[in-house]
Amino acid sequence: MSFRFEPIGYVRSCFVEKFAIPRQPHLAPAARGVIELLPPYDQPEAIAGLELVSHIWVLFVFHAASSGPEHLRVRPPRLGGNQRIGVFASRATHRPNPIGQSVVTLDRADPGRLAISGLDLLDGTPVLDIKPYVPYADALPSARNELADAAPTGCSISWNEDALAQATAAAARLNQPVVELIEQCLAQDPKPAYQQPTPRREYGVRFWDLNVRWHYPTQCEIRVLSVLPA
């Protein structure tokens, strides 16, 4: 038996590359984007009632990650990137089928366009379905996950004076919380978990149309060096 799915829309996101995307939704509340719905789902009838909903589940395709039976075991960053566990015990992007789900904040619902935040979705992600978050059913106080029992501990963030001025100017130009986005994403230490940083090594990532550069003065201290147009 085979199935065929067609996207109902696509994500337009602040994340234009996979590196430094938060590993779970809502770890960076300043991460914003929109879901652009395709016909016929861009009609007002499709979103009637969403004005009563604060959060939505987004079912999507991991279009930039490999998938299939070769990924029976994965190495989640939460366990240091070296320990292998079964794919079904993780939220790794490498899945038997490239399907993911994220719960995001629904900031505004207009026909054909849903503004969302707290997302962990790459720009251009195909969306398969949208469902309302139901607090009494989706938030289970007695649930446990001993592999990830709390949010990851963050790194401290500091700024070069010029970099902070660049980020502030970019925030005004883009009308986006650029400073907060950079701090929230970098605080989660996006480098590979098994990699030991050195002060001389610089890292970079693109958010929106910006190229952000940073380094590690110490093991879990990040200093933002520049925020320049990509």
Side-chain angles (χ1 to χ4, degrees):
M1 181 181 297
S2 62
F3 301 91
R4 180 175 177 175
F5 299 96
E6 295 292 338
I8 64 165
Y10 291 90
V11 175
R12 303 303 170 202
S13 166
C14 55
F15 300 121
V16 295
E17 57 184 70
K18 292 186 290 183
F19 185 49
I21 292 180
R23 296 183 177 116
Q24 300 293 343
H26 285 282
L27 292 179
R32 295 178 179 177
V34 298
I35 299 173
E36 295 180 346
L37 297 171
L38 298 174
Y41 306 104
D42 58 348
Q43 301 302 309
E45 296 95 312
I47 63 167
L50 271 186
E51 70 277 4
L52 305 175
V53 174
S54 66
H55 294 74
I56 54 174
W57 286 103
V58 181
L59 279 70
F60 61 91
V61 178
F62 282 115
H63 67 297
S66 57
S67 61
E70 64 271 27
H71 299 292
L72 294 179
R73 291 168 67 80
V74 296
R75 296 185 296 179
R78 185 62 182 267
L79 300 181
N82 290 316
Q83 182 179 340
R84 290 185 179 272
I85 61 173
V87 63
F88 298 131
S90 82
R91 294 194 181 188
T93 57
H94 305 291
R95 313 302 307 172
N97 295 294
I99 300 172
Q101 62 177 16
S102 288
V103 62
V104 299
T105 301
L106 178 61
D107 296 313
R108 184 181 175 89
D110 295 312
R113 186 179 174 90
L114 306 180
I116 58 176
S117 60
L119 73 162
D120 58 346
L121 302 168
L122 183 66
D123 186 61
T125 293
V127 177
L128 298 177
D129 202 357
I130 293 165
K131 299 177 185 291
Y133 183 88
V134 180
Y136 77 83
D138 295 339
L140 304 175
S142 60
R144 68 182 180 89
N145 184 336
E146 295 175 18
L147 294 171
D149 57 355
T153 345
C155 289
S156 62
I157 307 293
S158 61
W159 293 77
N160 278 359
E161 185 176 344
D162 288 347
L164 184 56
Q166 292 161 358
T168 303
R173 175 176 61 85
L174 295 169
N175 192 28
Q176 296 289 340
V178 172
V179 174
E180 293 85 350
L181 176 67
I182 292 171
E183 290 184 344
Q184 290 167 8
C185 290
L186 297 192
Q188 297 166 56
D189 193 4
K191 69 171 174 46
Y194 53 81
Q195 194 174 93
Q196 295 298 313
T198 65
R200 292 185 300 276
R201 179 170 185 171
E202 288 189 14
Y203 294 80
V205 71
R206 283 183 61 192
F207 296 138
W208 298 115
D209 61 354
L210 303 169
N211 186 14
V212 181
R213 306 288 298 180
W214 73 92
H215 75 149
Y216 292 79
T218 61
Q219 178 68 30
C220 201
E221 175 192 357
I222 288 174
R223 186 162 185 84
V224 184
L225 301 174
S226 63
V227 182
L228 297 172

